[in-house]
Every structure is written in structure tokens, then in C-alpha cells.
Amino acid sequence: MTKERVIIIGSGIAGCTAALRLMQDYDVTIITKGHKEQSNSMLAQGGVAAAISKSDTPKKHFSDTFQAGCFHNKVRAVNQLVTCGPIVIQKLINEGMTFDEKDGELSLGLEGAHQLPRILHSGGDQTGKFLTTFLQEKLTKVNWQEQKMAIEIIKHDGRAIGVHCLDKENQLHTYYGEHIILASGGLGQLFPVTTNAATISGDGLALAYRADATLSDMEFIQFHPTLLFLNGRCHGLISEAVRGEGATLIRADGSAIMETVHPLADLAPRDVVAATLFEEIERGNQVFLDITKVAHFEKRFPAITTSLDEHQVPFRETKRIPVHPGAHFLMGGVRTDLNGKTNIPHLYAIGEVANTGVHGANRLASNSLLETLVFGEKVAEYIHTQKNNRIIAPENPPTYQTTMPHLPEKHILQEKIWETLGITRKPEKITEFLHWLETFDYANHTRETAEISHMIITSKLIAESALKRTESLGAHRILKGVTK
Ligand SMILES: Cc1cc2nc3c(=O)[nH]c(=O)nc-3n(C[C@H](O)[C@H](O)[C@H](O)COP(=O)(O)OP(=O)(O)OC[C@H]3O[C@@H](n4cnc5c(N)ncnc54)[C@H](O)[C@@H]3O)c2cc1C
């Protein structure tokens, strides 16, 4: 008997985890916009948070996750994350995944707002790369479709049945499946200053919205405080783990920035640190990470060292790294239950594209890789319980528009989004921005127009959510508002 088909959109850790757990029993296809290595997962530096040390408990991890999320998190989702976390990590270790060790024990790092060290890392600061590669090498039974950009989720009788995609030459390809899993990541590339991979521009969120899926908490976007900043441009992330190892944020005159701002100083929650740095920069101050106190910096952070050398940063002499905050992570997204199910039958969402409720109004550092692993497992477990899902695929041409659409240039849209929906937000500017967005068309006959159209839809969803939340909370900061 032929197997049922699962179509997964996205080749990050969420998509690869689900694929690994499904490929024996299903005909699994992974569609991905660029090469399979292009994802935020590949870029993750700090590691994966899990309560595995003897002095740690899921309860402590739960408490830290809730505090960071400003108590906006969903209790059951956080419970699932922190209790299944150690189990999925152990399963990966049993299957051959290696995390860094010290004196024969797993070496656990400390990051902002964690009450004790619980961050597993691999290859020093290359956890995402090592984990993604480990998973992808195991995907021997998967049909890979690289360089295919999903442009529409196909529905029939109210259920998801397939995906329309464009290849690099803008030729249409259609894939049908009994189960469609969105694992397309977040939206960092909506902003001109971001840590995110080039393919991560909110496509999946717009696709879900157009398929009538419910999205929520879209106003909660985490801005990472420390992107490498040179000559007015950002060049990737300087992990929070660097501050965990003793680096401090300073002004050009050497004065400490965070000491007087928060009891946790440099390891305060990310929204606090990012907003403080943003205010410093707005006042005309340059900000730096002072790495004087970081022991064995180059050994502990080999990938960051390579990046600093590539950009000719004289950090060995100055002990300083110039930094700037930028868009990093979306807490909200496509609303799902604990199994990754959306409100559209047979459409699932996992990883950063999903809003499971684990992150609340702000994500605790290193909880997102854990979320991709836990919910990647859960969606596969759930699909295994579903029987007789066969679809008879109707011919279903895409609803795309091929006339000359009126769309903004990408960089202009990004600048507007940063000004309006960046670290601090003004309601009147958001209203103005929404009016501006209304002047544009929707088009997806080329990858370029589809990407810009998706960015318009996604930024509209953020703007509408931001307008509805009239008080600052977590990562959503109304100008000069105070985090609750
Ligand atoms: C620089 C950086 C460092 C980070 N460090 C950490 C860390 O240390 N710990 C931690 O927990 N989290 C970290 N994060 C966050 C974490 O990496 C991500 O949240 C997580 O990897 C998301 O995984 P994912 O599988 O959901 O999505 P991704 O890994 O982003 O994968 C999404 C995939 O979908 C594809 N895609 C997108 N649109 C389409 C489309 N239209 N059609 C087809 N394919 C599409 C993309 O190309 C990509 O392959 C970091 C993020 C960044 C950017």
C-alpha cells in the first residue's frame, strides 16, 4: 500500500525533527526556499536550554520561562516544553548527537534570565549548525525539494491538501499531501537590522493567514541586543552566551551600561537590554561588549572569533566588540495546540512560525531550539495517530496574479517596518503605516513579488496586533512604556 504523504515547509530543526520521526511510515517531502542549510537553525550559537543538571528541575525552568515571558505564556505549553525537554535531549544523545563536555560531564552554559547554567552547546558556539547537520544526515528517506519557495497552501473542502511553490526560475511546482506542516521559521528579514538568515521573511505566516489559519501574539518580536555593528551595518549575532561568560556592555568611555538598569545587569531579559542599548544609541552613544573578563574567548566562541576576524575587528587588542540591537525572534505566530495543530484541518505549524504559547511576551534565551525539538516530536506523534486521511487531489491552480502589481521596494518596506514596529512603537505611526500598506497590491507570480507581498501581510498582522495592545508588555514596547 502506498504511504500517506507529509509535506514539510522548511528545513530548520523543527522541520527536520518532524521529518526524522515520520520518514519510516510516511512519504515525506521537505520543501525549502534556499539550500537545505539556509535557516535560522543553522545560525543558532548559544545552545539548547533543558533542565538536565542535578541541581536543576523542570519546575525551575518553568519559572524562568514564565518570568521572561511576563506571565503571558500558556501553562500547559510551557509544562510540555520543560518536562519533555530533557527527554528529547536524551533521545538525541542516545542517537549519537554530541554536546560539549567538561570533565566528562555535559558542559552547561548560563544565559540571561536563567537562574542557573542549563544551556547545552555543541561545537562551542555552533550548536544550531551541529544539530541541524546531525538531523539532516539522518534524513535518508526524505524527498528534498531545495530552492522551492512555497507561495500558497492549497485547500479543498476546508482542509489543507498541498502547497504551490516557485523554483528559482519562477516555474510553478505543486505538491499534494495528507498532512502539511509549516516549519518556515520567523520573520527577521522584515527588518533592515536582523540576525536572521536571508530566507526568513515571514512567508509562512502570510501563507497561513491566506489559508484562514489563526495567528496570535504577532506584536511580540524579540530584538537581540548584540549584533556585530560596523560602518552602519549589522553582521550577525554576538551570542548572549558571551555575556554569560562575563562580557559587559559599555559606552565608548568605558562606563558600564546595565549595572544601574536591572538587578541582573548584563544578563537582564533581552527586551530590557535591547531597549536600553537602543536608547543609548538614540542619544548618540556607541555601545560595545567588553570581553576583558571572558576566559579563553577564542576557544569558547570559535565561530564568533572567525566572524570578527573576517570583519577585521581588532578585538584581541581592544577587548571590545561594537554592537547594536536588531530583530531576532518572533514569539507569536500561527496559533497551535500542544500537537502543532492549527485551526485548519491537516495544517500544522511547528518551530518559530508557530505560536504554541511557550514564549509568552518574550522568549527565554535558548528555549526556541528546545521548542523546535519538542514540538517537532509532538506533531509526528500526533500524525501517527491519524488514520485514513487520503485525499483525491483536485487540479487546483494557484490564485496568483500576473499583472504588473504596485508593490514597494523591499528596502523601503524594511525601513518603514523598523521605524514603526521596531524596539519602541508609537500608535499614531502604526496607524499611518497601516494606511500606507493599503495602497499596495498582492502578487505572487514571481518569488520577488511573493516575498514582498508576504512581508506586507506579515507586517500588517504585527501592526494590527500592536495597535490592539495598548500597554507595553515584554518585547512589545509602546514609546517610553514600562515593561510590566
Ligand atoms: C543568529 C541566531 C542565533 C540564535 N541562537 C539561538 C540559540 O542559541 N538558542 C536557541 O534556542 N535559539 C536560537 N535562535 C533562534 C532559533 O535558531 C530559531 O528560533 C529556530 O532555529 C527556528 O527553527 P525553525 O526550524 O522553526 O525555523 P528555521 O530554522 O528558521 O527554518 C525555517 C526554514 O523554512 C524555510 N522557508 C522559509 N520560507 C519558506 C518558503 N516560503 N518556502 C519554503 N521554505 C521556506 C527557510 O529557508 C528555512 O529552511 C537563534 C536565531 C538566530 C537567527
Side-chain angles (χ1 to χ4, degrees), residues 9-15 31-36 38-49 111 127 148-151 183-186 195-197 199-201 203-204 207 237 239 328-329 350-353 363 365-370 372 454:
I9 305 171
S11 58
I13 292 175
I31 292 165
T32 193
K33 193 172 171 183
H35 295 294
K36 63 182 177 189
Q38 269 180 297
S39 66
N40 279 357
S41 294
M42 282 293 281
L43 302 178
Q45 297 175 345
V48 194
E111 288 190 350
T127 312
K148 302 275 167 34
M149 175 181 177
I151 57 157
S184 52
T195 57
N196 284 198
T199 54
I200 309 300
S201 51
D203 287 331
L207 296 183
L237 180 70
S239 167
H328 187 53
F329 182 83
I350 50 170
E352 194 171 334
V353 73
R363 172 182 69 116
S366 287
N367 263 358
S368 47
L369 289 190
L370 191 66
T372 61
H454 294 162

Side-chain angles (χ1 to χ4, degrees), residues 215-452:
L215 288 92
S216 49
D217 289 343
M218 289 293 290
E219 69 274 34
F220 297 119
I221 295 169
Q222 184 175 83
F223 294 89
H224 199 289
T226 54
L227 278 63
L228 174 60
F229 191 67
L230 299 163
N231 305 320
R233 288 193 55 212
C234 286
H235 303 272
L237 180 70
I238 306 294
S239 167
E240 188 159 313
V242 176
R243 276 174 285 138
E245 298 286 336
T248 52
L249 287 156
I250 57 166
R251 301 179 187 88
D253 64 7
S255 55
I257 296 174
M258 291 306 300
E259 250 171 30
T260 53
V261 177
H262 193 278
L264 290 171
D266 290 281
L267 291 176
R270 282 185 186 166
D271 61 309
V272 177
V273 184
T276 307
L277 296 196
F278 185 67
E279 281 166 23
E280 287 287 337
I281 291 163
E282 291 278 279
R283 282 200 285 271
N285 291 330
Q286 251 190 303
V287 293
F288 301 87
L289 267 175
D290 177 352
I291 58 164
T292 313
K293 291 187 193 142
V294 182
H296 314 296
F297 179 86
E298 294 180 45
K299 186 164 176 243
R300 173 69 179 85
F301 301 107
I304 296 176
T305 300
T306 305
S307 165
L308 293 174
D309 283 337
E310 275 169 11
H311 293 99
Q312 297 172 355
V313 181
F315 69 98
R316 291 183 187 83
E317 296 79 49
T318 62
K319 302 286 177 201
R320 286 181 176 196
I321 303 171
V323 290
H324 192 290
H328 187 53
F329 182 83
L330 172 68
M331 272 69 75
V334 184
R335 193 189 290 165
T336 72
D337 69 3
L338 297 180
N339 293 316
K341 269 170 65 188
T342 72
N343 60 312
I344 304 300
H346 298 266
L347 178 66
Y348 310 84
I350 50 170
E352 194 171 334
V353 73
N355 180 14
T356 57
V358 297
H359 304 299
N362 206 357
R363 172 182 69 116
L364 182 67
S366 287
N367 263 358
S368 47
L369 289 190
L370 191 66
E371 182 189 24
T372 61
L373 293 169
V374 169
F375 286 82
E377 292 273 348
K378 287 290 166 189
V379 77
E381 274 173 26
Y382 176 79
I383 287 174
H384 273 111
T385 65
Q386 302 300 295
K387 303 287 174 224
N388 302 323
N389 301 288
R390 287 259 166 238
I391 48 161
I392 311 291
E395 283 301 310
N396 208 328
T399 54
Y400 64 32
Q401 175 188 335
T402 49
T403 52
M404 289 295 288
H406 173 52
L407 289 169
E409 282 182 53
K410 186 172 166 179
H411 74 99
I412 292 175
L413 180 59
Q414 287 172 318
E415 288 300 336
K416 283 257 189 199
I417 294 173
W418 176 243
E419 280 166 24
T420 321
L421 302 168
I423 295 174
T424 50
R425 299 162 175 176
K426 279 190 195 159
E428 56 279 15
K429 276 202 122 186
I430 299 177
T431 308
E432 223 174 82
F433 175 70
L434 280 168
H435 289 315
W436 182 70
L437 290 183
E438 274 168 21
T439 63
F440 299 112
D441 298 325
Y442 175 83
N444 62 359
H445 59 297
T446 66
R447 287 170 71 117
E448 196 187 350
T449 58
E451 189 168 276
I452 294 175

Side-chain angles (χ1 to χ4, degrees), residues 141-156:
K141 293 188 173 175
V142 162
N143 168 24
W144 281 101
Q145 292 295 332
E146 294 180 86
Q147 303 291 358
K148 302 275 167 34
M149 175 181 177
I151 57 157
E152 187 171 332
I153 290 166
I154 309 166
K155 280 171 64 188
H156 183 66

Side-chain angles (χ1 to χ4, degrees), residues 166-172 400 445-448:
L166 292 178
D167 65 20
K168 280 190 96 176
E169 281 72 45
N170 292 316
Q171 295 301 308
L172 184 71
Y400 64 32
H445 59 297
T446 66
R447 287 170 71 117
E448 196 187 350

